[in-house]
Amino acid sequence: MNTKGKTPGSAGRTVRASVQQQNGLTMRKRDMTPTRNTNLVPNATFVGDRFLGVRLDQDELDHANHLMTSQLYGNKENLNSSMSEPNSPERKSAEGEALKQMMRHKSAGVLTDAEDGDRILCYKKNLAPPPAIGYINQAKVVLYSTNNVINPASSVKKSTRHVKETASKVLDGPGLTKDLYSRHLDWGCHNWVAVALGYELYLWNTETCVIKNFFEDNAPTNEGLITSVRWSQDGRYISLGYGSGAVKIYDPNRPKTTEYVRELRTLRVGGASRCASIAWRKQGVMTCGYKSGDIVNHDVRISQHVVSSWGGENGHSRDITALEWSSDENMCVSGSSDRTAKIWEGRFVRGDGVIQDPEPQFTIDEHTGQVRTAQFCSFRDGILATAGGINDGTVKLWDVKRQCQKVRELNVCETGGVGGIVFNRPYSEMLTASDDGFLRIYRFNANYKLSHEIQASNEPIMDLVGSPYDEVLIGDMEETLKVFQLFSVDKSTNILDRTDSKTIEGYNHHLEEMYHKYGKIVKENLGFGRKHVIHLFDPADAQTVLAADGKTPFIVPLQETTQKYREMKGMNPGLGNLNGPEWYRLRSSIQHAMMRPQSVQTYLPFSQIVSEELVKHVAKEQVRFGHVNMQKVAGRWSLESAGQILFEKSLGSLGDRSEWADGLIELNKKIFQLSAKMRLGFPLFRLFSTPSWKKMVELEDRFYAEVDRLMDDALDKLTVKDSDSQNMRFASYLINQKELNRRDVKVILLSMFSDGLSTTAPMLIYNLYNIAAHPDAQHKIQKEIKEDPTSTKLPFLRSCIKETFRMFPIGTEVSRITQKDLILSGFHVPSGTAVDINTNILMRNEVLFSDSPHEFKPQRWLEKSKDVHPFTFLPFGFGPRMCAGRRFAEQDLLTSLAKLCANFDIHHRGEPITQIYETLLLPRGN
Ligand code: HEM
């Protein structure tokens, strides 16, 4: 690490050349000339007040607000609602229509009787589902309940649960290679099944009945027989392993303008042949197993894609037959024809250089035949199942958290091997498919008892895969594919078990799943006196709800626990937790000071002070530790900003009180984490003082004691003045409002403080991450700042921030309790219903954002796309209850990102950032 020189304007202070962040983001100190040369670090400059306060560009939200207030609200033409119908007829491409036609043709039975050559993936007679009509919700008579997806009724947990033993759909699959060790099928998270028939790949949507020949419009591949097929976890890419040893990655969503266009890349490893096992990690790393017994981890995003290999003396000696990652991605299991299974630690996937042949954590060698498949249990943490092929026929269960002890051995198939395992979370069951053509269900809650045996085929079953919902698909040696609806759940329950920690962390995925399964309006029963909530996924419905808001919109508090705590302590619940006239009284007192863009300019100098402090702090951290943990720094930054705005002083968070700041931020984080669990779990805390509630009270007590001290310190120093309240800072402004007493002022400050603390910091992280991951965008931002340092606009940086809100929305919903009867998506929703507007979680949806929705494309916001309905994108909510800190948040983000980009080159190292639900969608990890 070199000290590169003095910083003009910082009195000879020296700065370090580069700032490497512990938690991924790396910043390299730079001067005012934007550069991508990371070694070039001349005199770094801390510049002065170059960012003047500006009114942010009119975005969709303002546009919508305007429309609302100018009575144009109901005018569909003005709002260009063509995007509001996810499957509106206009949006159906000619290709899709043609394919559907074809499918209808097929499902009507015509092709079933056709020549053999035509009988590619066609339905068996009388077993075709009805053709898809419009959207997946064909019957609009009732709102759907999601109980069946999440948790079965208590009744179904009885051993006598009914299982449909006949296939619901059967397809011919001529060409399905008779190879027990190839993986021919994979069911993606978006409900498309990929089917490899010899040299061909077909995509089949089991809901809409569309079937596509994937290579029909792609150049044929010369790699030979397909030996494995696997969707990436997010369903964006398909990877195919070939007999030649090559692995190809395709993007099925890419438009077909030229040949090869869907093929993204081919990954080859010298000397490797036959890749029959592929497992994806969440972001970009693909683990592949080859005939030689070698396992190679490829980072598909970089040109030198091999990041590690697991083989040699520590590895397998014969073909890799199975590869699976555990859901937390801390472990990977491999099965092999050498009769062993090995468990590899996730940390061995990557490092600074290529990791070669580490020792596996455990080796399982108790199978008497080849290990044909292996799966981690989806509902019991640490349980792994390995299944043997011919001459074995067992499934063995291991507890990998307890030194890989054997938990149970099940003799599944007397006459052959076991070809597939699927775990069923709602019923805590394991399903096996075996060479005798049987599907067998074992119940974990009944001592692994065999509860059902279904003769699914007369031939060995080669493949078994589960759908994202309640179905499974098998492929057998009769060249037939069959769908069984084995896991449908009794809908009579009202109890929704969302207490499982994985379900909570993935609450946003749960919402997405509901949308994909049920469509744009879903009723979810919550049980335990919580009645139900209506989830909306349609911007037009969002518009209807928000238009009916009136003067005092009612909400379900984001944190019921905080509301209860404050009530218990005799405190006012605060802005985000109040409804009715009391909310209106407090909110109207701050409206002027908080919401008008002009008023917020008063705080600009303070925002700039904080951003300069941030730049100095980042540079100092680098000098002290040799790296910068940006998650920590972002928290300190948001606390410092809150101090300047709300308490009118520096809190020293970016200076000598950073440890104190870290403690307070950690406390706030814990409150949000626990609050998320209590929100989605059974609300017993409403009735009893549960352990969770006691913990919450302890956390809130400690948090409140700190904040109370801060508020008292600030308010004791402020006095009532006669001067113009227009130019006062926030606390002074409040104290000068005649209708507010000190208690009111404290309530408002507390609400603003706690709500602000948990939102802007993660948004800074998401923005830096996107900027780091897109050097072109970074360069453009730096150029924009350099070209006109006094500009108040920075349109490109603003569009980057907006695009980050799209890609990493921080909230899952904007909630309301309806105060009028409304018609939403054709359903009557009575007044007093809890409604969650969930459009924020659909920000990467292909239908809503047709132009590369998964890519960071800031320019989409500069092009003023007419396509997107303004009520799709609601990061700050809308109407009278819109985020009270919006203007602060926007200004702080803009000012500080501009300062960071002007002073550093930003890089990200380590794992890509993903989101976890903790009341808000926060960056995973610390
Ligand atoms: C990027 C940062 C932020 C985002 C994305 C955000 C988002 C939101 C959203 C979606 C709401 C609900 C709006 C509605 O129901 O229509 C809200 C409410 C609120 N936000 Fe923010 N917020 C952010 C930053 C802040 C900051 C910095 C503060 C304080 C300085 C703040 C204070 C509040 C308060 C007090 C409410 C409750 C308003 C009421 O119920 O009257 N927020 N925020």
Side-chain angles (χ1 to χ4, degrees), residues 95-107 210:
E95 176 213 23
E97 202 44 52
L99 285 161
K100 272 197 179 167
Q101 289 274 350
M102 183 184 89
M103 199 54 238
R104 284 182 194 133
H105 195 48
K106 282 181 176 175
S107 52
V210 169

Side-chain angles (χ1 to χ4, degrees), residues 555 575-576 583 587 594 751-752 755-756 759-760 763 805 810 814-816 874-878 881-885 888-889 893:
I555 59 162
L575 273 179
W583 169 80
R587 179 75 195 224
M594 296 299 286
S751 307
M752 302 293 288
D755 287 1
T759 43
T760 42
M763 280 322 300
F805 272 121
I810 196 164
V814 171
S815 83
R816 291 290 183 268
L874 298 166
F876 291 99
F878 182 76
R881 272 210 104 125
M882 187 210 273
C883 171
F888 286 156
L893 283 172

Side-chain angles (χ1 to χ4, degrees), residues 563-613:
Q563 183 193 37
K564 183 173 150 72
Y565 170 83
R566 292 186 190 168
E567 277 168 356
M568 186 182 91
K569 297 278 172 178
M571 294 158 66
N572 186 315
L575 273 179
N577 299 315
L578 276 170
N579 281 319
E582 178 60 0
W583 169 80
Y584 185 76
R585 185 178 76 83
L586 293 181
R587 179 75 195 224
S588 46
S589 69
I590 62 161
Q591 200 66 6
H592 183 75
M594 296 299 286
M595 299 311 292
R596 287 193 337 144
Q598 301 90 312
S599 313
V600 178
Q601 285 194 29
T602 315
Y603 306 104
L604 182 70
F606 305 103
S607 185
Q608 285 176 331
I609 290 172
V610 176
S611 63
E612 279 159 24
E613 288 290 313

Side-chain angles (χ1 to χ4, degrees), residues 208 432 525 703:
T208 59
T432 61
N525 291 333
F703 184 75

